[in-house]
Amino acid sequence: MRPVVALVGGFLGAGKTTLILKAARLLQARGVKAAAVLNDQGDDLVDTELARRSGTPADQVSGGCFCCRFPDLVEALERLSAHEPEIIFAEAVGSCTDLVATTLRPLLRDYGSRYRVAPLTVLVHEEPDGPDLRFLFEHQLAEADLVVQRGVDVAGWVDALLSGDSPAATKTITVDYARYAEAEAALGWLNARATVRPEPPASPAMIVGPLVDAMDAALTAAGIGIVHLKAMAQCESGYVKAALTANGRDPAVEGGLDASPAAEHDLLVNLRAMGDPAKLREIAGRALADVGAERVSITAFRPAAPVPWHSAKP
C-alpha cells in the first residue's frame, strides 16, 4: 500500500510538532507505523531531536522550506520508506505558505503512484502581531484544506487523513512573492548547538530553565519580540524541552523533569524573533556562556527570498 504523505502547516509556535508526535504515538498504539519529516531554514533542529527521542523515525529538510527544497523532501520521504510507514507527516516551516502550488500539486502530479497525498492541514493557535507576520498567517489559512485548532481531537484528525475521503490541494491562492520575501525577512532566525558540563552535575531542567529565562529577559530588554524560542538539553538520564511563543510567558515544558543530574548535556536552541540576527547571536552567545556552554556553534540569519523549485503558478 502506498504510504500517505500528510503535510502539516501553521504559523511558528502553533504546536505542529506536538500534534504530529501525539498522532504518531496514537498510531503506534494501533499498530500503525508513522514517520515524520521536519523542515527548517537552518540546521540543528530541536524538533528533529524531539521526534527521534519519541521513537518516531524522523528525517529533516534544512536550508529552506519544502517549496524551495522539493527534491530534498522527496529524498527524505524515500529514506523514511525504509521504515515502511503507513503515514509520513511532513511539517512545513512555520513562516512558509503557497504549499499547495509548490509542494502538494507536484507530489500529486509526479509521485501519485508512489504516495497518497492527504489534505493540507494548517494548525492554528493564535494570530500573530504585526503586518508581516499576519501576511504569512493569513495566506497559510487561505490555502488550507483542513484548518484545525490546537487541542484538536487527534484521533479524529488522523482518521480523516487516512480515510482518503477528502481531496488534497483544493485551494488556489495568489501570493505576491516580493511581499512574501519581505514578510519572511522581518524575522531573525537563530539555531545553536553546544555542550554543557555543569559542576556539580545538573539535571536537564536546571540547564534549560535558566537559559530560557535569561534569553527571554535579554530579548525583552533589547525590545526584540520572541516569535518562537525552543531549547532542549539532552543527557544520558533524559531530556527537557522548553518553548516560548512570546516574551514574558511561562514556557511550555516537556520531557523528564525528574531526570537525574548528569555531567554532560547536548544543548540545542532555536530562536525566531523580530530582531537583527547579529543581536540575536550576541544575546544567545551571552546566555550560553552564562550556563557554561562549550563547543558553541551558532548560525543567525534572515530567511532568503523564497524561490520555489516548481512554479508557484497554479
Side-chain angles (χ1 to χ4, degrees):
M1 181 181 292
R2 294 172 298 157
V4 172
V5 175
L7 198 63
V8 180
F11 199 68
L12 295 157
K16 297 185 294 297
T17 305
T18 299
L19 174 64
I20 287 169
L21 295 184
K22 283 182 179 178
R25 287 192 294 270
L26 181 149
L27 289 166
Q28 184 178 17
R30 295 180 180 178
V32 176
K33 294 181 179 179
V37 182
L38 291 310
N39 183 209
D40 195 69
Q41 304 279 4
D43 297 313
D44 291 330
L45 302 188
V46 168
D47 290 342
T48 303
E49 292 297 326
L50 191 62
R52 290 169 177 163
R53 276 274 182 175
S54 76
T56 301
D59 210 311
Q60 71 179 44
V61 172
S62 57
C65 49
F66 287 147
C67 61
C68 301
R69 312 288 298 190
F70 185 83
D72 294 346
L73 170 61
V74 172
E75 290 176 7
L77 295 173
E78 288 300 313
R79 287 192 294 268
L80 288 170
S81 294
H83 298 278
E84 300 182 334
E86 293 182 42
I87 183 168
I88 304 173
F89 297 100
E91 179 186 334
V93 176
S95 61
C96 187
T97 188
D98 210 19
L99 289 165
V100 167
T102 64
T103 305
L104 260 70
R105 286 180 180 153
L107 280 173
L108 285 163
R109 182 188 65 230
D110 300 333
Y111 297 92
S113 63
R114 181 71 181 85
Y115 304 105
R116 292 180 291 151
V117 179
L120 170 62
T121 296
V122 171
L123 179 63
V124 176
H125 176 45
E126 57 187 8
E127 183 174 347
D129 293 329
D132 291 315
L133 303 189
R134 281 198 297 271
F135 173 90
L136 301 170
F137 176 81
E138 289 166 1
H139 280 74
Q140 290 172 350
L141 288 182
E143 69 171 341
D145 295 310
L146 298 173
V147 176
V148 299
Q149 297 285 334
R150 184 185 290 189
V152 64
D153 171 19
V154 178
W157 173 63
V158 167
D159 290 342
L161 295 181
L162 291 174
S163 70
D165 293 339
S166 300
T170 60
K171 304 289 181 64
T172 297
I173 63 172
T174 300
V175 179
D176 179 341
Y177 264 70
R179 180 70 183 95
Y180 181 9
E182 179 184 338
E184 280 207 300
L187 286 161
W189 221 265
L190 179 141
N191 289 351
R193 179 183 288 272
T195 300
V196 180
R197 297 187 177 94
E199 183 57 47
S203 68
M206 294 304 295
I207 303 296
V208 166
L211 175 68
V212 169
D213 288 346
M215 290 188 65
D216 183 13
L219 290 162
T220 301
I224 295 173
I226 295 170
V227 178
H228 204 191
L229 168 61
K230 295 176 283 187
M232 181 176 181
Q234 306 177 79
C235 64
E236 59 185 10
S237 63
Y239 75 92
V240 168
K241 173 203 168 188
L244 286 176
T245 55
N247 304 66
R249 290 187 177 175
D250 291 333
V253 181
E254 57 188 290
L257 292 176
D258 58 350
S260 302
E264 182 171 315
H265 299 258
D266 181 36
L267 184 60
L268 287 173
V269 178
N270 298 158
L271 171 64
R272 319 298 178 235
M274 301 297 289
D276 179 72
K279 187 64 177 177
L280 302 186
R281 178 189 290 272
E282 176 190 333
I283 289 171
R286 190 163 59 244
L288 287 165
D290 288 345
V291 298
E294 306 171 7
R295 295 187 293 185
V296 177
S297 172
I298 299 177
T299 58
F301 56 92
R302 293 193 188 277
V307 181
W309 184 266
H310 291 283
S311 172
K313 295 179 181 179

